[in-house]
Amino acid sequence: MVTDYKILGDAIALPFSGRSAPSRFMKSAMTERLSSWDQHDPTNRGIPSDELVRVYEEWGKGGWGIVVSGNLIVDTMNLEAPGNMIIHRSQQKQDELESQMRRLIAGSKAGGALFVAQLSHGGRQVTSAIQPNPVSASDVKLDDRMGMSFAKPTPLTEEGIRETVENFAYAAQKLHEWGADGVQLHAAHGYLLAQFLAPSTNQRTDKYGGSVANRARIIYEIFDAIKKRVNDPKFVLAIKINSVEFQKGGFSTEESAEVCAELEKIGVDVLELSGGTYEELAFGHRRESTKKREAFFLEFSDVIVKQLQKSTVWTTGGFRTAKAMVQAVQDGATQGIGLARPATQDFDIPRKLYTGKLDAAPQGLIPEDDFGMTNLIAGTQIRQVGKGLQPFDKSDESAVGEFKATAGKFMEAGAAAAKDGVVNAGYPDHAGSPYVPIDTAQ
Ligand SMILES: Cc1cc2nc3c(=O)[nH]c(=O)nc-3n(C[C@H](O)[C@H](O)[C@H](O)COP(=O)(O)O)c2cc1C
């Protein structure tokens, strides 16, 4: 019996922007792959669909403190996956982009949550089917994995870095104009900014390589450029950063603490801690010691949080029970609780937890250490809600059985299309019953 679940509904004051997140819950970034996709014309990509707008309207009613978008890419080539949202000058249909983004943002905020867009660039982690000429900090190639192959990247020139920094700032400026409360730089999970942070992928000898301060320089420059372009002290600056990478030459916990302390100095309000890269996925338990506390990265956030006085820490990965969440907050390991996979079975999981209606996010039949399958499940549930369907019940044997068959066909169709040189976007489509919109009066 958790008696203190109500503290999960506490508002969190963001020290630099002066804004307040109305609960401790962050809907962590999940790529939705529901924006426009044109394999051959990069200018015809990245506009959110009506389905995606509907998805965010539902999260907007869920009791979240912060709703973070999935990967939103700052140019038309360096995607996490086909169907990502994109904001770039070169896109056609700028009016449609603006109106869909405005609707999505308004829907996310309708229940009081802050909407923060996750700005991202794939760097060397963009499949060669989309980006045959990737860039990175250095020319360290990523080996083929997860059914994707990756070309050897070219190190960004200083001019290329300047352009990239401007792309991030431009996207932030547009998001601010369109009603977003802030932006989160995606500097975790092995994408471009994480490639700069990790010694294994950053072998530069110029001012962007070597010391931690140099490897993080691109991030500081992006925040600086955002501040100049947005020019609104109430705009929330956030980052998602690895607290651990579990690999040789990876970005270490101590280095992460150093960067976080610097980010506090430059006014970053929200530090979301995660871990792992494509090479060493860490969305499951990697250590016995972390199992006891449920969340994967608390052991590392303990180290980082000690370096901070003002910025708020939100730890993501593995949290499922109100008990473990309350404990982590009471231990001072984190102030906010990031949730991803639980947010697609129950779009209003925060309200259910902080009102005591549930004492844990429902578990599915597929173990969450199987990130490949649980990721597909989450992506499909998002897609279902976009279509006005109920997310299928991941704890129900027959529903999971049907889903596995759907997912199998999806993978086969993707592989067959790839043989013909066709790159598809999205997650498996799955039938279901009509969606019952969240009743916020409950
Ligand atoms: C379907 C899916 C898509 C994801 N996409 C992103 C993303 O776009 N950006 C990101 O930073 N993390 C992404 N993640 C990782 C989550 O934000 C989160 O860090 C991870 O799932 C661990 O949290 P959880 O145990 O609560 O699911 C994704 C996870 C899932 C399941």
Side-chain angles (χ1 to χ4, degrees):
M1 179 67 194
V2 185
T3 48
D4 294 337
Y5 57 80
K6 288 195 180 115
I7 69 163
L8 300 173
D10 291 349
I12 298 191
L14 303 182
F16 300 110
S17 61
R19 309 294 298 277
S20 171
S23 81
R24 290 189 186 270
F25 289 99
M26 169 188 283
K27 195 293 284 174
S28 289
M30 277 181 283
T31 174
E32 317 87 1
R33 307 180 186 171
L34 282 169
S35 298
S36 58
W37 165 244
D38 182 327
Q39 185 180 344
H40 302 291
D41 182 355
T43 68
N44 194 25
R45 296 177 178 171
I47 298 180
S49 59
D50 290 342
E51 285 81 5
L52 189 58
V53 171
R54 188 198 298 241
V55 164
Y56 278 87
E57 284 167 354
E58 286 306 309
W59 274 321
K61 293 186 266 181
W64 299 94
I66 303 181
V67 171
V68 179
S69 77
N71 263 293
L72 189 161
I73 311 296
V74 299
D75 66 55
T76 60
M77 289 299 289
N78 295 300
L79 312 186
E80 174 269 337
N84 286 152
M85 289 186 261
I86 299 170
I87 297 180
H88 190 255
R89 286 186 190 78
S90 66
Q91 280 163 288
Q92 298 171 28
K93 305 179 197 155
Q94 290 284 333
D95 291 348
E96 194 183 330
L97 173 67
E98 173 173 347
S99 77
Q100 289 297 82
M101 284 300 320
R102 280 188 186 273
R103 289 178 61 211
L104 184 153
I105 293 166
S108 306
K109 293 170 53 159
L114 299 175
F115 173 81
V116 168
Q118 182 181 65
L119 297 183
S120 184
H121 180 305
R124 70 174 194 151
Q125 272 184 186
V126 190
T127 164
S128 55
I130 302 176
Q131 173 54 290
N133 303 302
V135 291
S136 181
S138 299
D139 62 352
V140 185
K141 185 183 166 331
L142 178 61
D143 292 338
D144 298 355
R145 61 195 65 242
M146 300 188 283
M148 293 184 274
S149 47
F150 306 92
K152 186 170 179 166
T154 308
L156 272 170
T157 58
E158 291 209 3
E159 197 195 327
I161 290 179
R162 269 196 296 281
E163 191 186 329
T164 306
V165 167
E166 272 311 304
N167 285 343
F168 274 91
Y170 173 82
Q173 184 185 4
K174 289 289 154 194
L175 284 156
H176 175 255
E177 267 173 47
W178 301 337
D181 298 300
V183 288
Q184 178 189 66
L185 302 191
H186 193 354
H189 307 166
Y191 295 101
L192 180 72
L193 301 181
Q195 291 158 32
F196 269 85
L197 289 175
S200 56
T201 42
N202 183 343
Q203 301 174 350
R204 301 176 75 101
T205 51
D206 63 2
K207 65 179 184 181
Y208 295 98
S211 65
V212 184
N214 280 356
R215 283 182 270 130
R217 187 183 301 278
I218 187 170
I219 292 173
Y220 305 145
E221 288 182 355
I222 294 171
F223 279 125
D224 206 36
I226 291 173
K227 282 189 201 167
K228 286 200 181 103
R229 269 185 177 268
V230 171
N231 196 20
D232 175 357
K234 292 203 179 69
F235 197 60
V236 176
L237 300 180
I239 194 164
K240 186 167 188 173
I241 192 162
N242 279 347
S243 59
V244 59
E245 291 193 338
F246 300 114
Q247 69 189 102
K248 203 163 163 263
F251 184 54
S252 70
T253 305
E254 291 67 31
E255 291 177 333
S256 183
E258 194 178 328
V259 173
C260 288
E262 194 58 33
L263 291 169
E264 177 172 84
K265 283 192 202 139
I266 63 177
V268 177
D269 263 332
V270 174
L271 304 170
E272 183 187 1
L273 303 183
S274 186
T277 67
Y278 276 16
E279 281 173 319
E280 284 292 337
L281 279 186
F283 298 137
H285 283 286
R286 301 288 303 251
R287 292 203 179 160
E288 274 309 307
S289 53
T290 63
K291 273 192 192 158
K292 289 195 208 91
R293 294 168 81 187
E294 196 170 287
F296 315 139
F297 306 118
L298 283 177
E299 187 176 331
F300 313 103
S301 67
D302 281 340
V303 176
I304 294 169
V305 90
K306 288 201 184 83
Q307 302 301 318
L308 304 166
Q309 268 92 51
K310 288 183 149 187
S311 296
T312 58
V313 169
W314 304 63
T315 304
T316 298
F319 275 121
R320 298 297 177 260
T321 66
K323 186 167 178 235
M325 297 172 196
V326 167
Q327 191 65 53
V329 171
Q330 289 177 341
D331 288 350
T334 192
Q335 285 139 290
I337 307 291
L339 297 177
R341 287 166 286 181
T344 62
Q345 182 74 70
D346 296 86
F347 274 54
D348 56 350
I349 192 69
R351 187 172 305 105
K352 286 177 175 148
L353 291 171
Y354 68 63
T355 57
K357 194 170 171 193
L358 285 182
D359 59 14
Q363 287 290 323
L365 293 178
I366 309 284
E368 295 209 329
D369 283 354
D370 182 349
F371 187 70
M373 198 61 178
T374 52
N375 173 288
L376 276 186
I377 290 174
T380 295
Q381 290 175 322
I382 292 174
R383 207 170 172 86
Q384 288 182 303
V385 170
K387 291 201 157 128
L389 299 169
Q390 203 60 30
F392 75 92
D393 181 353
K394 64 184 178 185
S395 67
D396 180 280
E397 209 162 318
S398 81
V400 171
E402 277 172 37
F403 173 74
K404 280 187 180 162
T406 313
K409 283 191 201 130
F410 171 83
M411 304 299 261
E412 278 168 28
K419 274 199 188 134
D420 296 333
V422 176
V423 181
N424 289 330
Y427 278 100
D429 266 320
H430 198 52
S433 48
Y435 189 65
V436 181
I438 294 169
D439 177 3
T440 50
Q442 285 170 13

